Amino acid sequence: MNNQEALGTGRGKLGPFSWGTIRIPGLHFLIANQKARWALLILIPILLLTLLAPVLPFPSPLVTDVKSSMQSPSWDHPFGTDKLGRDVFSRTLSGIKVSLSVGLSVAVIALVFGVVLGTIAGFYGKMVDRTMMSIVDIFLAFPSLLLAIGLVSIMGAGFIPVVIAISLADVPRFIRLQRSLVLTLKSRTYIDAARTVKASQLWLMTKHIIPNTISSLLVAASIAAANAILVEASLSFLGLGIMPPEPSLGNIIKEGQTYLQIGWWISTLPGVVILLIAISLHFMSDGIREVLDPRSRK
């Protein structure tokens, strides 16, 4: 066996553990999965409404109309109005945009840093692994919401501090997951074979190790996005996240809690939206797992 046969031709023919054999599911694969199909049925209409809200004939989420305050849900105001006469439906759509932006940003940041740092810790081991895992254990000792509250209290409220705080709470979990996957993969026979022909460590990590951990990390990323949305809503509810007058699902619910008896729709309907988004993202994670790993199907 020569070096080219052992390491591949550089055109994706790297054996069963190469980038060429890693299949990221397309939309038709997800539609074929029942759980992912349910998730898409919930998420797609929400995403379309959120993206098209600026060009649709919806009232501005910031415009007040005291004469229309505390109106119950109707055709003109599907989610009713709040104490200032603002349309709760428009405010909910604006809050969804913030929540989804936070969820996506946190998932990407946690995925990137988790892959890089977890791969380094698992692949190199020894002092690098011990040092990094000691730091990770410190972060994991705190509940994610409590850690996010502490970090936001230090950095201040706003979109960027919230994203950074939730990411710092989630990245350690991705690092530990990636490290465990790398420890399993680096002892495989094909890794030993690549080492015998003097394959570089960077080549092994980028061509063999990381591609074979992507499926598990994609599942974790979708769960992290759902959790980030819930944490952001919790922070905004506590007055530590997105601050009024910018709408957020959390601060909309907070504003409506005082009027639950006479205006139940202000808090209840945005709360239902948060629940639907979180459930659909968890369904999506199950669908991605089953598409990428058919052995996980029951």
Side-chain angles (χ1 to χ4, degrees):
M1 180 185 297
N2 56 34
N3 289 5
Q4 189 178 32
E5 290 174 341
L7 301 179
T9 62
R11 293 174 296 180
K13 298 179 180 179
L14 301 172
F17 298 96
S18 67
W19 281 109
T21 60
I22 300 301
R23 300 177 62 186
I24 303 302
L27 184 60
H28 60 290
F29 288 107
L30 291 176
I31 292 177
N33 182 273
Q34 184 178 12
K35 293 180 180 178
R37 188 163 58 245
W38 278 108
L40 291 173
L41 287 174
I42 297 173
L43 286 174
I44 289 178
I46 292 176
L47 287 173
L48 288 177
L49 281 173
T50 302
L51 294 174
L52 297 177
V55 299
L56 293 176
F58 296 146
S60 171
L62 300 178
V63 172
T64 60
D65 183 8
V66 179
K67 294 181 180 180
S68 302
S69 64
M70 303 304 292
Q71 290 187 3
S72 60
S74 63
W75 180 257
D76 293 330
H77 303 285
F79 282 13
T81 60
D82 62 10
K83 64 178 180 179
L84 298 177
R86 296 173 296 188
D87 185 71
V88 178
F89 184 69
S90 297
R91 292 178 61 76
T92 300
L93 291 180
S94 183
I96 291 172
K97 183 183 296 185
V98 172
S99 296
L100 292 178
S101 299
V102 170
L104 179 61
S105 300
V106 169
V108 171
I109 292 172
L111 185 63
V112 172
F113 281 90
V115 167
V116 174
L117 298 179
T119 301
I120 292 173
F123 194 81
Y124 287 99
K126 297 181 180 179
M127 184 60 68
V128 174
D129 185 24
R130 288 194 295 269
T131 302
M132 199 173 296
M133 287 304 103
S134 297
I135 298 173
V136 166
D137 289 339
I138 294 174
F139 279 90
L140 292 179
F142 299 93
S144 58
L145 179 58
L146 182 60
L147 181 59
I149 291 174
L151 293 172
V152 169
S153 300
I154 296 172
M155 295 183 292
F159 179 84
I160 294 179
V162 166
V163 170
I164 295 175
I166 301 175
S167 299
L168 287 175
D170 281 350
V171 165
R173 292 173 173 78
F174 278 74
I175 294 176
R176 183 166 288 280
L177 173 61
Q178 177 70 1
R179 171 183 175 272
S180 65
L181 295 171
V182 171
L183 289 176
T184 301
L185 290 173
K186 76 174 188 178
S187 61
R188 297 286 178 87
T189 304
Y190 65 92
I191 296 294
D192 294 333
R195 283 196 175 106
T196 61
V197 291
K198 307 301 181 182
S200 67
Q201 293 181 332
L202 179 62
W203 192 93
L204 289 173
M205 287 188 288
T206 57
K207 296 297 183 180
H208 282 311
I209 299 295
I210 294 178
N212 289 283
T213 63
I214 290 298
S215 59
S216 297
L217 292 173
L218 286 176
V219 175
S222 60
I223 296 175
N227 292 339
I229 290 172
L230 296 176
V231 172
E232 181 276 323
S234 301
L235 292 174
S236 297
F237 182 85
L238 296 172
L240 298 172
I242 309 301
M243 302 299 292
E246 184 179 357
S248 165
L249 294 177
N251 61 38
I252 293 173
I253 295 174
K254 179 183 179 181
E255 292 171 356
Q257 67 173 341
T258 308
Y259 307 95
L260 283 176
Q261 292 184 345
I262 60 175
W264 58 268
W265 54 86
I266 302 175
S267 292
T268 303
L269 297 180
V272 171
V273 171
I274 295 177
L275 181 63
L276 288 175
I277 293 175
I279 290 175
S280 62
L281 288 174
H282 279 280
F283 278 164
M284 181 63 70
S285 69
D286 289 340
I288 293 174
R289 186 184 70 249
E290 292 179 0
V291 169
L292 292 175
D293 185 10
R295 292 173 298 178
S296 65
R297 300 172 187 169
K298 295 181 180 180

